[in-house]
Amino acid sequence: MGRRHPVEGNKRNLYVPEGFAHGFCVLSEIAEVLYKTTNVYSAESEAGIVWNDRDLRIEWPVKQPILSEKDGRFPGLKNADIKFYYKEEGK
């Protein structure tokens, strides 16, 4: 018998609504992520938030992730050119 692919039996799905900020961190040696989108990819329409924005207080389990060049250039949430409502706690 051959070795099974680690995600062969997983088949988990996560629905992320259009415009919803999202990110993920892979801790395994192998990961397969497939996106289904509402439209054809358009670089001009893409926006994002830098992964380690201190204001978001996300405790990522890695300190030096492997990022795409574009993902490393995104601004923090306060400076992002994104059309959504953001309110800091207590304000």
Side-chain angles (χ1 to χ4, degrees), residues 3 5 7 21-22 25 27 31 34 45 47 51 55 59 78 83 89:
R3 185 171 175 220
H5 189 283
V7 295
H22 62 283
C25 177
L27 300 176
L34 302 173
S45 300
W51 73 279
D55 291 329
E59 293 184 25
K78 289 179 181 174
K83 311 282 188 276
E89 277 186 52

Side-chain angles (χ1 to χ4, degrees), residues 21 48-60 65 67 71-72 74-82 84 86 88:
I49 302 163
V50 70
W51 73 279
N52 60 349
D53 183 344
R54 291 179 188 217
D55 291 329
L56 296 178
R57 299 186 198 124
I58 298 172
E59 293 184 25
W60 294 103
L67 297 173
D71 287 349
F74 285 135
L77 180 60
K78 289 179 181 174
N79 298 315
D81 186 21
I82 301 173
F84 63 80
Y86 167 67
E88 290 185 56

Side-chain angles (χ1 to χ4, degrees), residues 10-81:
N10 185 317
K11 308 297 182 209
R12 292 182 184 155
N13 293 284
L14 173 67
Y15 173 71
V16 179
E18 183 177 355
F20 192 88
H22 62 283
F24 59 90
C25 177
V26 175
L27 300 176
S28 62
E29 291 290 320
I30 298 173
E32 185 174 29
V33 177
L34 302 173
Y35 287 93
K36 290 190 176 189
T37 60
T38 55
N39 212 332
V40 177
Y41 173 75
S42 166
E44 299 82 33
S45 300
E46 190 169 58
I49 302 163
V50 70
W51 73 279
N52 60 349
D53 183 344
R54 291 179 188 217
D55 291 329
L56 296 178
R57 299 186 198 124
I58 298 172
E59 293 184 25
W60 294 103
V62 296
K63 299 295 179 205
Q64 298 293 323
I66 300 170
L67 297 173
S68 69
E69 191 174 317
K70 117 185 120 65
D71 287 349
R73 289 193 310 258
F74 285 135
L77 180 60
K78 289 179 181 174
N79 298 315
D81 186 21

